[in-house]
Structure formats: C-alpha cells, structure tokens
Amino acid sequence: MPLKVYLLILLLPFSHLCRGQIEVDTSFRSISLKLTLGDGYRSLTFRKNGESDTAIFLNYFVSKNTQGKTNLSDEIPNIRTLWDSAAQLIPIRLTSANIGYPLEYDDVLQNQIAAFNASSEWKAHVNKNGKKLDYKLIRQVMIDHHVYGPFEDLLSDYGYTLTDLSTEKHGFVTNEKLKELGRSPDEVIPVPYMVWLAISIQ
C-alpha cells in the first residue's frame, strides 16, 4: 500500500516568502513528492533501482496551469527543496533524469535558440540539407552548449555531472513562437519533445 505523508514547509525562493505543503507518496518502486504553491503544483519523483531502495531516476513536473511562463532557473529552489526532503527518506544515487523539454521553460528555450544559432555544425547542416532533423547533431549541440545549464549547476551542487542526453519526438520552433520572442522567423531551431538526461557522479 502506498504511504502518503504531508509535510508543512517554509520556502525561501530568491527574495519572496511563501508557504507550501509537500505531499509524499511512496511505493515499492518510487517515491513522489508534490509541492503545492498557490493554484499550481510541482512534483518530483524518484524511481528506485529494481529490488534496491536506492533511487536512480529523477522526474520533475510543473503543473499545466503554471507552464508557458516558467523559467527552469526559478524552479531550481523547488527542486532542491523536494530533493532534500526525499534524501531524508531514501538513498539517492542518480543515473538519469527527466525535467521537461525546452519549450516548457522560457530560459531553456532561449538557451536552445542561442545554442543552434551559435553552432557552426548546425549551420552547415542547414545550408546543405535545409530544414531537416539530425538527431545525433541535435543532442550534441544541446550538450555542448549547456541548454539545461540551471539544472547542471544544481547537479554539481549534489556531486553529479550531466554526461549525455537522449531525445524523441522532434520538431522545430514555430515561426509564431520565434516572432513572439522577437526573433527572425527564418531561424531554424530544432526542439525535442522528450528529453532524458544521463547523469554520473563527479
């Protein structure tokens, strides 16, 4: 039977003070921590390694009513709070994580755009092939340019490093989105809709 626990916490993200409640659900395979803030919530799930109690996979989720105008950098204090709470309940030794895809975070999307505009390899690919996906190159550009920089900084604080990533369900940033961001609609920026991060101990 899942065990459900409620924890009252006091959060201090950056300069503002807010109250939140953490709900903890545990099962044989995972532990999930849900943080309610206003009319939205965040959840952090750690999945265990088979028969072991050690958590090896992290998944972070921001509720739909808070998506669209969210920065990953602003979510880092919430991830840290939930991670520290989980660490009191289970051993953690991560090998992979899923925290969302670039279009879910404004700052990650801006990093994505900057990364591909700065990549000579990507520009050469577009000049030769036009608007065509190259999955291996997409992954390499995202890693080399630290698209998930805020999360990489957090990982470093916990003694981890991002070593690789895998992607699925690719597309391109739409012309409408590029215009909304004040960018040229001619920019060819690929985006995956599923991203898994490979992690190792430093």
Side-chain angles (χ1 to χ4, degrees):
M1 291 291 291
L3 176 64
K4 186 174 290 186
V5 180
Y6 294 91
L7 302 173
L8 289 178
I9 63 168
L10 190 63
L11 297 177
L12 289 165
F14 300 111
S15 61
H16 65 279
L17 184 69
C18 61
R19 285 194 176 275
Q21 178 175 283
I22 295 179
E23 175 185 333
V24 181
D25 284 305
T26 63
S27 70
F28 178 70
R29 294 294 184 187
S30 66
I31 179 169
S32 296
L33 298 91
K34 179 179 176 182
L35 173 62
T36 300
L37 293 171
D39 59 355
Y41 71 89
R42 281 81 172 154
S43 67
L44 190 66
T45 299
F46 290 92
R47 293 199 178 94
K48 300 175 184 178
N49 179 19
E51 301 295 326
S52 170
D53 286 333
T54 301
I56 61 169
F57 174 78
L58 174 155
N59 181 80
Y60 186 65
F61 176 79
V62 180
S63 61
K64 296 297 182 184
N65 57 339
T66 60
Q67 287 182 3
K69 295 296 181 183
T70 303
N71 287 316
L72 179 58
S73 57
D74 293 337
E75 294 300 316
I76 296 302
N78 298 326
I79 298 174
R80 187 186 300 274
T81 294
L82 294 170
W83 189 327
D84 290 345
S85 297
Q88 299 178 44
L89 303 173
I90 58 169
I92 298 172
R93 189 178 178 86
L94 294 181
T95 60
S96 59
N98 181 332
I99 60 170
Y101 54 91
L103 284 168
E104 291 184 283
Y105 301 102
D106 287 351
D107 53 353
V108 177
L109 178 57
Q110 292 285 7
N111 291 345
Q112 183 86 356
I113 293 171
F116 284 88
N117 280 333
S119 171
S120 58
E121 293 87 353
W122 178 252
K123 288 179 180 178
H125 167 78
V126 173
N127 289 336
K128 180 180 179 180
N129 302 290
K131 199 171 183 179
K132 181 180 179 180
L133 295 167
D134 182 323
Y135 307 120
K136 182 178 179 181
L137 179 56
I138 289 169
R139 294 193 294 271
Q140 194 59 53
V141 172
M142 291 177 68
I143 294 170
D144 290 346
H145 292 264
H146 305 283
V147 168
Y148 285 94
F151 187 65
E152 289 190 61
D153 291 341
L154 179 68
L155 288 175
S156 180
D157 290 344
Y158 286 96
Y160 295 94
T161 186
L162 177 64
T163 57
D164 200 358
L165 59 81
S166 59
T167 60
E168 289 187 23
K169 298 184 178 179
H170 304 74
F172 293 91
V173 179
T174 64
N175 292 347
E176 291 76 17
K177 187 63 177 179
L178 288 168
K179 290 179 182 178
E180 178 187 320
L181 296 171
R183 309 199 63 93
S184 169
D186 296 328
E187 296 178 17
V188 180
I189 311 297
V191 284
Y193 292 90
M194 300 180 73
V195 181
W196 286 270
L197 307 176
I199 298 167
S200 64
I201 299 291
Q202 289 179 345

